[in-house]
């Protein structure tokens, strides 16, 4: 199998494994010692160009710029048999900012890459069947594709407050479920509701970074879902769930639906 994350995580992993980023080629697969999956760390700069910059460029100019970057990386990598340049976007969100939903850019890009003598399109899954030699890692520190940290989800006062509220609800859930007072169908409903509270990127939105209107909406929905969980458990929701806790006020690129891998948008 394989797994992928951001360039910041790769940088931290190489540092933790005493593999200094000294300007040599870092575009290749990795493998954590004692495990089997191949690990890929995206090129944050190239990914951010596609996600945040090229939407305002003429498609042909953007494609030429990207190909020039790729050619530069290829020239830097002596071991071309093992060189891989992972480009990973933040979901589907970039294309709505491109003319024709990215059709012009993508059509031109795939045509240029398909015709290029030194660049080959592939997928991570296809690389599993290739005899590539991954760079060994001793450690992979915790982090995400956003800046190589977890700061998009925790650390801000509002984000931390949201986690505290979820912890309170989970403690209540554990007590009630252990008490045996709920019927099986009630337990199933409460379990599903807990998954709703835990399973979404709620904390992505809280804090000053995102637009106020969006933060207000996610604040309201989050508190409603937590309140529903308490009710399904037969418990009175805490009074604090009646009061907003995050306001927002920022204006990030793409309205907050995406984050650049590098501070400043790549």
């Amino acid at each position: 199998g394989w797994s992928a994350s951001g360039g910041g995580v790769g940088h931290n992993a190489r540092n933790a494994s005493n593999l200094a980023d000294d300007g040599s080629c870092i575009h290749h697969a990795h493998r954590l010692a004692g495990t089997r999956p191949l690990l890929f760390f995206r090129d944050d700069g190239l990914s951010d160009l596609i996600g945040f910059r090229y939407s305002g460029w003429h498609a042909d100019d953007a494609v030429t710029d990207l190909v020039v970057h790729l050619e530069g990386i290829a020239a830097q990598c002596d071991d071309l048999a093992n060189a891989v340049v992972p480009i990973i976007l933040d979901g589907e969100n970039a294309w709505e900012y491109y003319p024709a939903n990215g059709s012009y850019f993508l059509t031109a890009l795939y045509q240029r890459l398909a015709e290029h003598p030194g660049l080959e399109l592939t997928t991570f899954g296809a690389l599993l069947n290739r005899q590539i030699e991954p760079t060994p890692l001793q450690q992979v520190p915790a982090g995400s594709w956003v800046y190589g940290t977890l700061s998009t989800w925790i650390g801000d006062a509002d984000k931390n407050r949201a986690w505290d509220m979820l912890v309170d609800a989970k403690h209540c859930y554990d007590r009630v479920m252990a008490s045996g007072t709920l019927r099986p169908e009630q337990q199933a409903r409460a379990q599903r509701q807990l998954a709703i509270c835990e399973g979404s990127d709620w904390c992505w939105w809280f804090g000053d970074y995102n637009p106020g209107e969006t933060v207000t909406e996610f604040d309201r929905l989050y508190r409603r879902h937590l309140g529903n969980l308490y009710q399904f458990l037969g418990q009175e929701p805490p009074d604090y769930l009646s009061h907003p806790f995050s306001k927002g006020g920022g204006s990030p690129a793409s309205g907050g639906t995406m984050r650049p891998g590098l501070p400043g948008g790549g």
Side-chain angles (χ1 to χ4, degrees):
W2 60 269
S3 183
S5 189
V9 176
H11 172 79
N12 295 339
R14 286 186 290 272
N15 280 349
S17 303
N18 296 316
L19 299 174
D21 288 345
D22 56 4
S24 59
C25 182
I26 60 173
H27 292 84
H28 36 66
H30 296 71
R31 176 174 284 142
L32 180 63
T35 69
R36 297 184 62 185
L38 291 180
L39 305 181
F40 298 96
F41 301 108
R42 78 174 186 172
D43 186 305
D44 284 338
L46 298 185
S47 302
D48 286 348
L49 283 172
I50 298 174
F52 295 93
R53 300 286 182 86
Y54 288 158
S55 59
W57 293 28
H58 189 282
D60 290 339
D61 293 337
V63 169
T64 295
D65 188 74
L66 182 61
V67 169
V68 167
H69 280 296
L70 291 170
E71 290 172 339
I73 292 171
Q76 187 182 39
C77 291
D78 296 330
D79 187 8
L80 288 177
N82 291 314
V84 181
V85 184
I87 298 177
I88 310 172
L89 297 192
D90 178 9
E92 74 286 359
N93 296 303
W95 308 120
E96 64 188 273
Y97 297 94
Y98 277 73
N101 289 322
S103 176
Y104 303 129
F105 171 75
L106 291 171
T107 299
L109 175 63
Y110 288 133
Q111 181 175 348
R112 286 283 296 278
L113 292 179
E115 297 172 349
H116 198 286
L119 301 173
E120 177 187 357
L121 282 168
T122 188
T123 65
F124 296 140
L127 290 174
L128 297 178
N129 299 319
R130 300 269 289 268
Q131 298 301 312
I132 61 175
E133 293 294 330
T135 298
L137 296 172
Q138 298 304 312
Q139 298 183 52
V140 179
S144 79
W145 52 270
V146 185
Y147 312 155
T149 70
L150 299 177
S151 60
T152 298
W153 292 273
I154 196 168
D156 175 273
D158 291 352
K159 299 178 188 295
N160 292 348
R161 179 60 184 141
W163 286 109
D164 289 340
M165 290 190 287
L166 179 61
V167 169
D168 289 347
K170 180 59 163 60
H171 287 165
C172 179
Y173 171 90
D174 290 341
R175 290 194 303 270
V176 173
M177 296 294 273
S179 71
T181 58
L182 298 182
R183 299 188 303 274
E185 64 271 19
Q186 292 175 315
Q187 292 181 18
R189 184 169 66 167
Q191 185 179 41
R192 181 178 183 277
Q193 186 62 26
L194 176 65
I196 291 173
C197 296
E198 293 180 336
S200 185
D201 273 339
W202 295 109
C203 292
W204 172 287
W205 294 101
F206 303 138
D208 292 338
Y209 180 90
N210 283 306
E213 182 178 355
T214 302
V215 174
T216 297
E217 185 66 11
F218 276 91
D219 176 310
R220 182 184 63 82
L221 289 171
Y222 185 65
R223 288 182 290 109
R224 175 181 292 182
H225 278 301
L226 287 173
N228 288 344
L229 176 59
Y230 281 100
Q231 292 177 358
F232 293 167
L233 293 169
Q235 303 296 307
E236 185 70 22
D239 179 67
Y240 61 67
L241 291 181
S242 300
H243 306 286
F245 67 94
S246 190
K247 296 181 179 179
S251 55
S254 306
T257 57
M258 295 187 286
R259 291 284 193 277
L262 294 170

